[in-house]
Each structure stands twice: as C-alpha cells, then as structure tokens.
Amino acid sequence: MRCPNCASLDTQVKDSRPTEDSSVIRRRRVCLACNFRFTTFERVQLRELVVIKRNGRRAPFDRDKLLRSVQIALRKRPVEPSRIDESLGESEITSETIGEMVMEHLRALDDVAYVRFASVYRNFREAKDFEAVLGELSGEEDGKPPASARK
C-alpha cells in the first residue's frame, strides 16, 4: 500500500479489524519510511458489469446514469419509484440491450415515459419520429399489433 504522505511502498499493517457488519476490514498502517500512520479499508469487489457501446468501446456500467434517464422519463408520471428497480446478472452487456430492455419495461409501465425515453435513446430528429412511436402505441390500444410487428 502506497503511503499517502510520502508515496513510499514500504508500509506495514499494525492492526486489522472487521467493521460492525463484517463487510469491510479496517487496517491501521504505518509507513516505514516516514512513520506516517493511516487507515485503509478492504472490501470485496465483485466483477463489474461492462457495457459494450455502439462504437465498440467498453465502459463500466453506470447504474446511476441509467436510473437518472429513467427518472427523467418518468418525471411527473403516476409510477411508483420502486417499480424501476431491475437488474441483470451478466458481466457484459451491450448498450443496445440495456436500452431495449428499458424501452420494453417503460412501454408496459407508462406510455409517456416510454415516448420520452425513446426520443432520447433513438435520437429523434423530426416530428415524424414521434408520430411513428405514437402510432405504434395507438395500434396496441386498438388491439392491433404494433406497426413494427406488422412489417
């Protein structure tokens, strides 16, 4: 462990204790170069979920970013916040898969939130983009399959 005072790698653990809930180990350390004392915390790090972006770049999954997007889409909509919380158990997932899953769940949850999210996710540029999605939604209400399923 690098000393935060002098950056030396020559440090020694003086004391180790679990925290109250035993999820973290607290370690008291001393730097053998400058005698600086400091505390570190050790916790289990699970494999991170990696998102494969459309351009092929990989980035760590940011659950908060996704949650903010969904919350914006659901703003002032009659949907309980507890219904938003869903996750996957895989370690890598494409951004398209995440987006489509969110779209599918929002579509079942709230039409307006679905259209809001779709407008950003599908990068709507013109009014006809909104009309197409609204047409799909109104087709479902009439008992017809959505326009995308009729092709």
Side-chain angles (χ1 to χ4, degrees), residues 119-131:
S119 70
V120 175
Y121 175 69
R122 292 186 179 160
N123 200 18
F124 287 5
R125 299 266 187 228
E126 302 173 11
K128 69 179 179 181
D129 297 330
F130 285 95
E131 291 170 359

Side-chain angles (χ1 to χ4, degrees), residues 32-66:
L32 299 177
C34 71
N35 218 26
F36 184 74
R37 293 181 178 271
F38 59 101
T39 303
T40 60
F41 295 90
E42 179 181 316
R43 70 187 78 233
V44 173
Q45 182 176 358
L46 302 174
R47 280 186 1 187
E48 289 186 19
L49 184 64
V50 175
V51 177
I52 304 164
K53 300 289 192 171
R54 288 181 177 148
N55 64 5
R57 187 176 57 88
R58 285 176 158 68
F61 173 68
D62 185 349
R63 186 179 189 284
D64 293 333
K65 182 178 176 183
L66 177 60

Side-chain angles (χ1 to χ4, degrees), residues 7-89:
S8 171
L9 291 174
D10 198 12
T11 63
Q12 185 177 42
V13 175
K14 288 296 185 183
D15 181 44
S16 291
R17 292 186 188 157
T19 57
E20 287 180 19
D21 65 355
S22 295
S23 65
V24 177
I25 301 275
R26 177 183 180 269
R27 299 197 192 277
R28 287 293 297 153
R29 296 178 178 265
V30 64
C31 175
L32 299 177
C34 71
N35 218 26
F36 184 74
R37 293 181 178 271
F38 59 101
T39 303
T40 60
F41 295 90
E42 179 181 316
R43 70 187 78 233
V44 173
Q45 182 176 358
L46 302 174
R47 280 186 1 187
E48 289 186 19
L49 184 64
V50 175
V51 177
I52 304 164
K53 300 289 192 171
R54 288 181 177 148
N55 64 5
R57 187 176 57 88
R58 285 176 158 68
F61 173 68
D62 185 349
R63 186 179 189 284
D64 293 333
K65 182 178 176 183
L66 177 60
L67 184 60
R68 282 190 306 273
S69 288
V70 172
Q71 287 172 334
I72 289 169
L74 288 168
R75 191 172 290 149
K76 297 182 182 178
R77 301 300 308 152
V79 176
E80 292 295 319
S82 61
R83 298 202 45 207
I84 299 170
D85 215 8
E86 298 224 358
S87 64
L88 293 174

